[in-house]
Amino acid sequence: MNATARKENQSMLWEIEEYWSKRAKSYSEEVRFEMEHENERNWMGVLQSYLKGIPGKKVLDIGTGPGFFAIGLTKRGYQVTAVDYTWNMLEEAKKNAGELAEKISFLQMDAQRLDFEDASFDAVVTRNLTWNLERPGDAYREWHRVLKKGGVLLNFDAGWYNYLFDDAKAHSFEEDRRRVKDAQIRDFESYSESDKMEDISRRLILSRCKRPEIDIELLRRAGFKLIYTDEEIGEKVWDETEKLNYGSRPMFMLRGVK
């Protein structure tokens, strides 16, 4: 990567961090609701089922945000290290963890360049992160590097902003908004920073790619094996409000083994 490209990538990273720093408090409120909701049990049931058979209990939660995965897994006996590039998110995660915060190692770190030694973790988990990375291929290689042999990656994501580049998806996205309005429930896309996030997403590579197909290829290139995809995972972890909001953007799960 030349100097100009590095400067542009760094500028983008700062822009993304600024956005999430401003959203940290409101996003944390949403996650706290999840922690007290049936979603928490649904999510942890899925995680635990796919973490069976990993070498040990050391888990790295990348892009922890307000700490949903980190807190839930710590409650269930895992040794969790939680990283996020946004300091404000880490502060929210610590607050949400309460007394459990002492058991979780919270670190500020770039998901695309981790400061851990090779083979440090038994599992890597992440949710709603990959879509807003500038260099997802670098991220997958790093996640593979820090896993122990036999370790597992669980990545949950969606083509959140593919509708910006696909007319059919844009139409379906607007249909979601109509159904949400008709049902008189909260529209998750109606928030003050939505235009800013769309602007950022227009410049992110995965907004333009077919997913999870591109992710599967990147996982293979990174060295992952036994790659498994569940493109209906949202049916297992989302409540009815989420399903109406995200109908045109189904969540997928990617599981890969080192």
Side-chain angles (χ1 to χ4, degrees):
M1 184 184 297
N2 61 38
T4 300
R6 282 197 298 271
K7 185 175 181 180
E8 289 176 353
N9 280 336
Q10 191 62 50
S11 175
M12 190 70 173
L13 189 59
W14 288 336
E15 191 173 352
I16 293 169
E17 180 192 13
E18 181 182 37
Y19 169 84
W20 286 112
S21 291
K22 290 179 179 177
R23 275 208 71 195
K25 186 174 181 179
S26 61
Y27 192 56
S28 184
E29 290 173 357
E30 295 175 15
V31 169
R32 280 198 297 274
F33 173 79
E34 275 193 289
M35 290 175 182
E36 299 168 359
H37 189 265
E38 64 179 345
N39 285 26
E40 199 270 353
R41 295 188 298 276
N42 294 341
W43 272 106
M44 292 304 130
V46 166
L47 283 179
Q48 287 182 288
S49 68
Y50 283 107
L51 290 176
K52 287 180 180 177
I54 62 173
K57 288 280 190 175
K58 291 186 68 176
V59 178
L60 175 62
D61 175 20
I62 304 179
T64 190
F68 182 70
F69 274 3
I71 295 165
L73 288 173
T74 300
K75 286 180 179 178
R76 289 160 176 85
Y78 292 88
Q79 299 168 264
V80 182
T81 297
V83 303
D84 202 284
Y85 194 73
T86 305
W87 183 254
N88 287 6
M89 283 291 190
L90 291 171
E91 289 297 299
E92 291 294 330
K94 291 174 186 176
K95 292 177 187 176
N96 293 335
E99 294 180 357
L100 286 177
E102 295 181 0
K103 295 184 177 181
I104 303 170
S105 177
F106 290 104
L107 299 169
Q108 187 175 21
M109 205 172 294
D110 182 357
Q112 302 156 125
R113 190 174 59 185
L114 298 170
D115 297 326
F116 299 114
E117 294 182 359
D118 296 356
S120 294
F121 299 95
D122 302 299
V124 169
V125 298
T126 184
R127 179 177 78 151
N128 299 338
L129 168 69
T130 326
W131 66 271
N132 70 173
L133 296 177
E134 319 96 282
R135 307 188 312 279
D138 289 354
Y140 282 131
R141 283 190 291 272
E142 278 290 272
W143 303 352
H144 182 271
R145 180 184 66 79
V146 301
L147 277 171
K148 298 176 184 177
K149 186 176 181 180
V152 170
L153 164 69
L154 296 178
N155 179 18
F156 301 86
D157 205 7
W160 295 115
Y161 288 90
N162 289 163
Y163 69 85
L164 295 172
F165 299 95
D166 185 309
D167 290 341
K169 290 183 183 296
H171 176 74
S172 296
F173 175 80
E174 291 305 322
E175 284 294 299
D176 286 347
R177 312 280 63 78
R178 181 188 60 77
R179 282 191 288 269
V180 164
K181 183 177 180 181
D182 289 347
Q184 297 184 336
I185 59 175
R186 180 189 164 203
D187 188 340
F188 293 163
E189 299 303 318
S190 180
Y191 59 95
S192 59
E193 304 92 348
S194 60
D195 289 345
K196 178 61 176 175
M197 192 69 254
E198 283 192 346
D199 177 59
I200 292 173
S201 297
R202 285 187 177 91
R203 290 171 281 145
L204 292 171
I205 187 170
L206 290 182
S207 296
R208 300 171 180 267
C209 297
K210 188 174 182 181
R211 306 187 70 194
E213 288 82 351
I214 184 63
D215 300 83
I216 294 169
E217 178 59 28
L218 292 174
L219 285 171
R220 286 175 178 150
R221 292 180 191 175
F224 283 98
K225 299 179 180 179
L226 301 176
I227 298 168
Y228 169 76
T229 309
D230 185 344
E231 297 188 53
E232 297 182 354
I233 198 71
E235 293 295 318
K236 302 173 186 176
V237 296
W238 281 343
D239 63 19
E240 292 306 312
T241 298
E242 289 171 312
K243 290 175 184 177
L244 274 175
N245 266 277
Y246 303 140
S248 64
R249 298 170 294 172
M251 176 170 277
F252 58 80
M253 182 201 74
L254 290 164
R255 182 181 188 270
V257 180
K258 180 171 180 177

